[in-house]
Amino acid sequence: MSGEYTTAPRTVEDVYDNFSARRDGLIKALTSDVDGFYEQCDPDKENLCLYGNPDGTWEVQLPAEEVPPELPEPALGINFARDGMQRKDWLALVAVHSDAWLMAVAFYYGAKFDGKEREKLFKHINSLPTVYEILSGKAVNKPKAKAKGAAAGQPPGKKAREDGAPMTAMGLKKPSTGFIQPQDGDLTALNNAQIELFWPDDGMWYKAEVVSLNTRNRSAKVLYATGDVETLSIDEIANEGHLNVCT
Protein backbone atom coordinates (compact mmCIF):
# COMPACT_ATOMS: atom_id res chain seq x y z
CA MET A 1 0.00 0.00 0.00
CA SER A 2 1.10 3.59 -0.49
CA GLY A 3 2.77 5.36 2.40
CA GLU A 4 4.24 2.17 3.84
CA TYR A 5 7.42 2.26 5.90
CA THR A 6 10.58 1.20 4.05
CA THR A 7 11.73 -0.29 7.35
CA ALA A 8 9.48 -1.73 10.03
CA PRO A 9 8.99 0.29 13.24
CA ARG A 10 11.12 -1.27 15.98
CA THR A 11 10.47 0.59 19.23
CA VAL A 12 7.26 0.93 21.23
CA GLU A 13 7.10 4.61 20.30
CA ASP A 14 7.61 3.84 16.60
CA VAL A 15 4.86 1.21 16.59
CA TYR A 16 2.51 3.56 18.44
CA ASP A 17 3.21 6.37 15.95
CA ASN A 18 2.51 3.91 13.13
CA PHE A 19 -0.75 2.87 14.80
CA SER A 20 -1.81 6.49 15.38
CA ALA A 21 -1.17 7.54 11.79
CA ARG A 22 -3.02 4.54 10.33
CA ARG A 23 -5.90 5.22 12.73
CA ASP A 24 -6.03 8.86 11.62
CA GLY A 25 -6.35 7.75 8.01
CA LEU A 26 -9.18 5.34 8.80
CA ILE A 27 -11.04 7.99 10.78
CA LYS A 28 -10.78 10.38 7.83
CA ALA A 29 -12.18 7.72 5.50
CA LEU A 30 -15.20 7.13 7.75
CA THR A 31 -15.89 10.75 8.72
CA SER A 32 -14.62 13.76 6.76
CA ASP A 33 -13.97 11.75 3.57
CA VAL A 34 -16.93 9.40 3.97
CA ASP A 35 -18.70 10.27 0.72
CA GLY A 36 -15.59 9.51 -1.32
CA PHE A 37 -15.00 6.31 0.63
CA TYR A 38 -18.60 5.22 0.12
CA GLU A 39 -18.37 5.77 -3.63
CA GLN A 40 -15.15 3.78 -3.92
CA CYS A 41 -16.71 0.74 -2.24
CA ASP A 42 -18.69 -0.27 -5.33
CA PRO A 43 -20.36 -3.67 -4.74
CA ASP A 44 -19.84 -4.51 -8.43
CA LYS A 45 -16.07 -4.46 -8.00
CA GLU A 46 -13.91 -7.29 -6.69
CA ASN A 47 -13.13 -7.87 -3.01
CA LEU A 48 -11.97 -4.55 -1.59
CA CYS A 49 -10.22 -3.60 1.65
CA LEU A 50 -9.87 -0.31 3.52
CA TYR A 51 -6.27 0.47 4.43
CA GLY A 52 -4.97 3.14 6.78
CA ASN A 53 -1.45 4.16 5.80
CA PRO A 54 1.42 5.21 8.10
CA ASP A 55 1.45 8.68 6.52
CA GLY A 56 -2.09 9.36 7.76
CA THR A 57 -3.83 8.68 4.45
CA TRP A 58 -6.34 5.98 3.52
CA GLU A 59 -7.12 3.96 0.43
CA VAL A 60 -9.52 1.33 -0.82
CA GLN A 61 -7.64 -1.41 -2.65
CA LEU A 62 -7.63 -5.08 -3.56
CA PRO A 63 -5.93 -7.26 -0.93
CA ALA A 64 -2.23 -8.01 -1.15
CA GLU A 65 -1.32 -10.79 -3.57
CA GLU A 66 1.52 -12.15 -1.46
CA VAL A 67 0.81 -15.33 0.51
CA PRO A 68 1.35 -14.95 3.37
CA PRO A 69 1.00 -11.15 3.22
CA GLU A 70 3.71 -8.81 4.48
CA LEU A 71 1.31 -7.48 7.15
CA PRO A 72 -2.03 -8.66 8.54
CA GLU A 73 -4.76 -7.77 6.06
CA PRO A 74 -7.95 -5.75 6.75
CA ALA A 75 -11.43 -7.27 6.37
CA LEU A 76 -11.93 -8.50 2.82
CA GLY A 77 -14.92 -7.60 0.66
CA ILE A 78 -16.30 -4.65 2.63
CA ASN A 79 -17.87 -3.36 -0.58
CA PHE A 80 -20.18 -6.37 -0.97
CA ALA A 81 -22.26 -5.48 2.09
CA ARG A 82 -22.54 -1.77 1.30
CA ASP A 83 -25.96 -1.77 -0.39
CA GLY A 84 -27.43 -4.53 1.76
CA MET A 85 -27.28 -2.54 5.00
CA GLN A 86 -28.23 0.87 6.33
CA ARG A 87 -25.35 3.25 5.58
CA LYS A 88 -24.62 3.98 9.26
CA ASP A 89 -24.67 0.28 10.14
CA TRP A 90 -22.32 -0.56 7.30
CA LEU A 91 -19.90 2.19 8.33
CA ALA A 92 -20.03 0.96 11.92
CA LEU A 93 -19.19 -2.57 10.74
CA VAL A 94 -16.23 -1.27 8.75
CA ALA A 95 -15.09 0.72 11.80
CA VAL A 96 -15.11 -2.34 14.07
CA HIS A 97 -13.14 -4.37 11.53
CA SER A 98 -10.74 -1.44 11.14
CA ASP A 99 -10.09 -1.36 14.89
CA ALA A 100 -9.35 -5.10 14.86
CA TRP A 101 -6.96 -4.64 11.94
CA LEU A 102 -5.11 -1.77 13.64
CA MET A 103 -4.50 -3.94 16.70
CA ALA A 104 -3.34 -6.83 14.52
CA VAL A 105 -0.79 -4.67 12.72
CA ALA A 106 0.48 -3.07 15.94
CA PHE A 107 1.04 -6.38 17.68
CA TYR A 108 2.48 -7.94 14.54
CA TYR A 109 5.19 -5.28 14.76
CA GLY A 110 5.36 -5.79 18.53
CA ALA A 111 5.65 -9.58 18.43
CA LYS A 112 9.30 -9.44 19.52
CA PHE A 113 8.65 -7.05 22.41
CA ASP A 114 8.87 -8.39 25.94
CA GLY A 115 5.89 -8.35 28.31
CA LYS A 116 6.59 -4.87 29.68
CA GLU A 117 6.98 -3.40 26.22
CA ARG A 118 3.76 -4.98 25.01
CA GLU A 119 1.96 -3.66 28.07
CA LYS A 120 3.38 -0.19 27.42
CA LEU A 121 2.26 -0.37 23.80
CA PHE A 122 -1.26 -1.41 24.78
CA LYS A 123 -1.51 1.43 27.31
CA HIS A 124 -0.53 3.93 24.64
CA ILE A 125 -3.07 2.49 22.21
CA ASN A 126 -5.78 2.27 24.86
CA SER A 127 -5.38 5.98 25.65
CA LEU A 128 -7.01 6.74 22.29
CA PRO A 129 -10.69 6.22 21.45
CA THR A 130 -11.30 3.52 18.86
CA VAL A 131 -12.37 4.25 15.32
CA TYR A 132 -15.80 2.86 16.20
CA GLU A 133 -16.07 5.15 19.25
CA ILE A 134 -15.26 8.16 17.08
CA LEU A 135 -17.75 7.16 14.40
CA SER A 136 -20.54 6.37 16.85
CA GLY A 137 -20.10 9.62 18.78
CA LYS A 138 -19.10 7.85 21.99
CA ALA A 139 -15.80 9.68 21.96
CA VAL A 140 -14.52 12.95 20.52
CA ASN A 141 -11.40 12.72 18.38
CA LYS A 142 -10.35 16.34 18.89
CA PRO A 143 -7.45 16.31 21.38
CA LYS A 144 -7.75 18.58 24.36
CA ALA A 145 -4.93 20.10 26.38
CA LYS A 146 -5.74 18.11 29.47
CA ALA A 147 -4.17 15.20 31.27
CA LYS A 148 -5.32 11.63 30.85
CA GLY A 149 -7.55 10.57 33.67
CA ALA A 150 -8.27 14.07 34.91
CA ALA A 151 -11.84 15.07 35.55
CA ALA A 152 -13.52 17.08 32.81
CA GLY A 153 -12.26 20.66 32.88
CA GLN A 154 -9.77 19.87 35.64
CA PRO A 155 -6.16 20.83 34.88
CA PRO A 156 -3.34 18.47 35.90
CA GLY A 157 -2.18 20.76 38.68
CA LYS A 158 -5.47 20.16 40.54
CA LYS A 159 -5.27 16.36 40.29
CA ALA A 160 -4.01 14.20 43.14
CA ARG A 161 -1.90 11.09 42.78
CA GLU A 162 -3.41 7.74 43.66
CA ASP A 163 -1.08 7.53 46.66
CA GLY A 164 -2.49 10.81 48.00
CA ALA A 165 0.56 12.96 47.29
CA PRO A 166 -0.38 16.33 45.81
CA MET A 167 0.61 17.22 42.28
CA THR A 168 2.18 20.61 41.81
CA ALA A 169 1.74 21.91 38.28
CA MET A 170 0.42 25.39 38.83
CA GLY A 171 -1.07 27.16 35.86
CA LEU A 172 0.07 30.55 34.60
CA LYS A 173 -2.20 33.48 33.80
CA LYS A 174 0.07 34.51 30.93
CA PRO A 175 2.38 32.42 28.73
CA SER A 176 6.13 32.58 29.38
CA THR A 177 8.63 34.11 26.97
CA GLY A 178 8.41 32.27 23.66
CA PHE A 179 6.15 32.16 20.64
CA ILE A 180 2.71 30.85 19.80
CA GLN A 181 3.03 27.88 17.44
CA PRO A 182 1.28 28.71 14.13
CA GLN A 183 -1.02 26.19 12.49
CA ASP A 184 0.75 24.31 9.67
CA GLY A 185 4.00 25.92 10.81
CA ASP A 186 7.47 24.39 10.98
CA LEU A 187 7.81 21.82 13.79
CA THR A 188 11.59 21.99 14.30
CA ALA A 189 11.35 24.10 17.46
CA LEU A 190 8.99 21.58 19.08
CA ASN A 191 11.55 18.78 19.18
CA ASN A 192 12.15 18.07 22.92
CA ALA A 193 10.78 21.55 23.64
CA GLN A 194 9.38 23.01 26.82
CA ILE A 195 5.87 24.19 26.02
CA GLU A 196 2.77 25.64 27.66
CA LEU A 197 -0.79 24.63 26.77
CA PHE A 198 -3.77 26.88 27.35
CA TRP A 199 -6.89 25.47 29.00
CA PRO A 200 -9.97 27.54 28.13
CA ASP A 201 -11.91 25.97 31.02
CA ASP A 202 -9.96 27.93 33.61
CA GLY A 203 -8.04 30.42 31.42
CA MET A 204 -4.62 29.15 32.51
CA TRP A 205 -1.43 27.97 30.76
CA TYR A 206 0.10 24.65 31.89
CA LYS A 207 3.69 23.56 31.42
CA ALA A 208 4.60 20.39 29.54
CA GLU A 209 7.54 18.86 27.70
CA VAL A 210 7.47 17.37 24.20
CA VAL A 211 8.88 13.87 24.64
CA SER A 212 8.05 12.54 21.16
CA LEU A 213 7.37 14.39 17.90
CA ASN A 214 5.76 12.77 14.86
CA THR A 215 6.32 15.06 11.88
CA ARG A 216 4.42 12.75 9.52
CA ASN A 217 1.03 13.18 11.16
CA ARG A 218 2.01 16.37 13.00
CA SER A 219 1.33 15.08 16.48
CA ALA A 220 3.28 15.31 19.72
CA LYS A 221 3.40 13.26 22.87
CA VAL A 222 3.67 15.64 25.82
CA LEU A 223 4.62 15.08 29.44
CA TYR A 224 2.90 17.38 31.91
CA ALA A 225 4.55 18.52 35.13
CA THR A 226 2.10 16.18 36.87
CA GLY A 227 3.62 13.13 35.19
CA ASP A 228 0.62 12.63 32.92
CA VAL A 229 1.25 11.92 29.23
CA GLU A 230 -0.98 12.89 26.30
CA THR A 231 -0.74 12.75 22.52
CA LEU A 232 -1.94 15.94 20.82
CA SER A 233 -2.69 17.05 17.27
CA ILE A 234 -0.36 20.02 16.93
CA ASP A 235 -2.34 21.83 14.27
CA GLU A 236 -5.66 21.53 16.11
CA ILE A 237 -4.17 23.05 19.26
CA ALA A 238 -2.20 25.64 17.26
CA ASN A 239 -5.31 26.64 15.32
CA GLU A 240 -6.81 27.83 18.61
CA GLY A 241 -3.62 29.67 19.59
CA HIS A 242 -3.25 27.39 22.62
CA LEU A 243 0.36 26.22 22.19
CA ASN A 244 3.23 28.37 23.45
CA VAL A 245 6.79 27.22 22.69
CA CYS A 246 9.07 28.45 25.45
CA THR A 247 12.44 29.99 24.54
Side-chain angles (χ1 to χ4, degrees):
M1 298 299 105
S2 68
E4 290 296 329
Y5 276 104
T6 54
T7 58
R10 299 186 180 278
T11 67
V12 170
E13 288 71 24
D14 287 344
V15 174
Y16 173 68
D17 287 344
N18 181 284
F19 173 93
S20 298
R22 291 180 187 275
R23 170 182 169 275
D24 288 345
L26 294 171
I27 290 171
K28 289 176 187 175
L30 296 173
T31 56
S32 60
D33 298 345
V34 66
D35 290 336
F37 166 66
Y38 190 87
E39 288 298 321
Q40 290 189 38
C41 292
D42 186 344
D44 292 331
K45 294 183 179 179
E46 297 183 47
N47 293 305
L48 295 175
C49 301
L50 171 61
Y51 294 88
N53 295 320
D55 62 357
T57 62
W58 62 273
E59 58 185 319
V60 174
Q61 291 285 358
L62 293 171
E65 295 182 357
E66 298 91 345
V67 179
E70 182 181 352
L71 288 174
E73 285 288 296
L76 178 66
I78 57 172
N79 51 315
F80 294 149
R82 191 196 73 175
D83 292 347
M85 303 174 65
Q86 293 288 330
R87 175 166 164 153
K88 67 176 183 178
D89 294 335
W90 176 72
L91 291 172
L93 179 64
V94 174
V96 170
H97 279 292
S98 296
D99 284 319
W101 176 68
L102 286 171
M103 293 294 288
V105 172
F107 281 89
Y108 173 86
Y109 283 134
K112 295 182 180 180
F113 291 163
D114 61 26
K116 289 184 178 179
E117 289 173 320
R118 290 195 302 273
E119 181 180 8
K120 181 180 179 181
L121 174 60
F122 180 75
K123 286 182 177 180
H124 283 332
I125 290 173
N126 205 39
S127 69
L128 297 173
T130 64
V131 177
Y132 173 76
E133 286 175 326
I134 296 296
L135 183 67
S136 64
K138 294 182 178 180
V140 178
N141 193 41
K142 184 178 181 181
K144 300 292 184 181
K146 61 178 68 177
K148 300 294 183 187
Q154 184 180 29
K158 296 179 182 178
K159 179 173 176 273
R161 295 187 185 275
E162 293 180 358
D163 60 10
M167 285 186 170
T168 56
M170 299 302 294
L172 305 171
K173 292 184 178 181
K174 294 182 179 180
S176 303
T177 302
F179 65 91
I180 300 299
Q181 174 68 28
Q183 185 183 26
D184 300 324
D186 184 75
L187 303 182
T188 304
L190 282 172
N191 192 34
N192 298 318
Q194 298 294 320
I195 63 173
E196 292 165 350
L197 295 162
F198 181 73
W199 286 38
D201 290 345
D202 60 2
M204 303 288 276
W205 293 83
Y206 290 92
K207 292 184 178 293
E209 176 185 358
V210 177
V211 295
S212 177
L213 181 66
N214 187 325
T215 56
R216 287 187 300 275
N217 65 1
R218 299 180 65 84
S219 66
K221 186 184 300 179
V222 302
L223 173 67
Y224 289 96
T226 60
D228 292 287
V229 176
E230 182 175 24
T231 299
L232 301 173
S233 168
I234 297 169
D235 289 332
E236 288 189 13
I237 301 299
N239 181 51
E240 299 170 340
H242 292 174
L243 172 55
N244 180 53
V245 183
C246 301
T247 57

